[in-house]
Amino acid sequence: MSALVATIEGVGFWATGLPGWDSARDFVRDGRLPEAPPARPSPQLLAPNERRRAPGTVAVALEVALAACEAAGRDPASLPSVFASTHGELAITDYMCATLADQPETISPTRFHNSVHNAAAGYWSIGTGATAATTAISAYQATFAQGLLEALVQLATGVPAVLLVAYDGSSVGPLAKISPSAGLLGGALVLSRSERAGAMRLAATLADGEAPAAAGPLAARDPGNAMAPMLGLFDALASGDRHTTLSAGAGRILQLSLHEPSLHEPSLQETGAQRRG
């Protein structure tokens, strides 16, 4: 397949002990860790009461999504979005299963609506007032790669810019044995069709193969979270590496390359115009 390309306008990141993209870059470059980091994100998009009640997965998703939009200088309400999570909120799923088995009449409506896989996308659209299309996607270990592909395809089919948000939290109870995940981890990218001075360009090609295990500092620090496969790309962005490979499913890989745009590189719009001409 031909490479799908995009400009990375903004990055958001949050991991347990690394509460932001600046912290992550410091850790990758010289091993520095922040002093007394918060135990969980505090997304300012939510009212204080909702902020306290929101599950950790929703909190981390909103935190990184807003950070990426702010870094890109984009109005969150203007962007279509792709929310990628391997498991959603497994702690609430465990509660739902246990309650349905023992006392089904006591199910909490609030916890039920937080159990659905698109809960974070719903909070985002309500909090930002965004009415553009939102996609919630899960593809087990290939979730991040498939979410990135979805975002890139939206750009290739005419969307000017799109927000990609990836996140997962800890699993608990019996589900932890079959769907293990540890800690909170989230990453977000604002991707666009147009070049921007100082912003990296990303090219992605889907191919056959098996992805090697990610070996960067971020990947080595948080290997137990279900969204850890995304860390190969964030390690590359933080370290200046130009190539990384993500698992895109059984026997499939997504090969990624990063570069700074050249002055005369044609944009997607220009390329399309040339082809139409």
Side-chain angles (χ1 to χ4, degrees), residues 1 25-26 32 39 62 79 109 122 140 142 169 173 189 193 199-200 207 216 237 239-240 242 256 268:
M1 62 173 282
R25 286 188 294 186
D26 288 343
R32 271 190 294 156
L62 299 190
L79 295 173
Y140 197 44
L189 303 171
R193 293 162 56 91
M200 297 296 292
L237 289 170
S239 66
R242 291 294 185 256
L256 305 180
L268 276 175

Side-chain angles (χ1 to χ4, degrees), residues 162-229:
V162 61
L163 169 67
L164 169 64
V165 187
Y167 60 95
D168 268 298
S170 296
S171 53
V172 300
L175 289 174
K177 297 179 181 178
I178 56 173
S179 299
S181 184
L184 270 178
L185 177 62
L189 303 171
V190 171
L191 303 169
S192 74
R193 293 162 56 91
S194 303
E195 295 89 348
R196 176 183 286 193
M200 297 296 292
R201 294 275 287 173
L202 177 149
T205 305
L206 192 63
D208 292 333
E210 298 294 334
L218 295 176
R221 185 178 181 276
D222 282 303
N225 188 277
M227 195 47 67

